[in-house]
Amino acid sequence: MNRIETASRDLERIKSRMPPPLPCLIGVLAGVGIDLWLPWSIGPRPVTIGAGVAAFLAMVWLAAATGRAFRDHATPVDPARETLAIVETGPFRFTRNPAYLAACLLQAAIGCFLDNAWVLVFIIPALIAIQQLVVLREEAYLEAKFGEAYLSYKARVRRWL
């Protein structure tokens, strides 16, 4: 095995193997479970449905724009695969993690549609888990792979919003 293959394999070990939407799924399930014993309503149904629709539409737009930006740069969306380029267009101009924000928007939409405040509360631990278990490892991988180019992007664009 040559040095390039070894370096590539070492970089890949840095990356997280956890599917990033998993904390949001766990948050939804935990919220639904707790709500069975301790219901916590968000508010009037017209408001929760409207908020759910707004969160869902924002998620669809963000997920589509993220996918389009990845496609335009010919780099995979799957964070477990090798990153081929630093994407700085589309929603990546405003946040380094639009796909993970989209997952949280979906969790918010589900919480609103179910009128379940617990699901909304669990967005916070989901974001913390995503940051600690996925984002920090991804950032280390991107810094090791792209060096100064990624550090420059990281200095210009916020991690979340």
Side-chain angles (χ1 to χ4, degrees):
M1 180 174 343
N2 66 34
R3 273 192 355 219
I4 294 172
E5 289 171 339
T6 302
S8 179
R9 211 167 34 180
D10 288 345
L11 279 177
E12 289 302 314
R13 282 190 205 126
I14 296 172
K15 293 181 92 173
S16 174
R17 298 291 182 234
M18 184 190 77
L22 185 60
C24 292
L25 174 62
I26 292 168
V28 168
L29 295 175
V32 168
I34 291 173
D35 198 65
L36 293 173
W37 290 283
L38 187 60
W40 186 11
S41 176
I42 298 169
R45 287 309 286 159
V47 172
T48 61
I49 295 298
V53 168
F56 183 78
L57 292 175
M59 180 277 302
V60 168
W61 175 83
L62 191 55
T66 299
R68 194 169 35 256
F70 276 119
R71 187 187 67 237
D72 291 348
H73 287 79
T75 196
V77 175
D78 181 357
R81 294 187 50 210
E82 181 182 3
T83 303
L84 304 174
I86 299 172
V87 180
E88 299 183 48
T89 60
F92 289 93
R93 291 175 295 157
F94 310 106
T95 173
R96 298 193 310 261
N97 298 292
Y100 307 148
L101 286 175
C104 291
L105 282 169
L106 179 58
Q107 182 175 343
I110 292 168
C112 290
F113 289 139
L114 296 176
D115 189 23
N116 183 327
W118 292 110
V119 173
L120 299 181
V121 166
F122 279 106
I123 291 171
I124 295 166
L127 274 170
I128 292 168
I130 290 168
Q131 179 165 315
Q132 295 301 310
L133 301 172
V134 180
V135 171
L136 294 178
R137 292 184 75 166
E138 278 185 5
E139 288 180 348
Y141 165 81
L142 294 169
E143 286 177 23
K145 179 160 183 153
F146 296 106
E148 186 55 43
Y150 181 72
L151 291 172
S152 174
Y153 169 67
K154 189 175 168 182
R156 287 190 319 276
V157 178
R158 291 173 166 275
R159 179 179 283 151
W160 295 111
L161 289 177

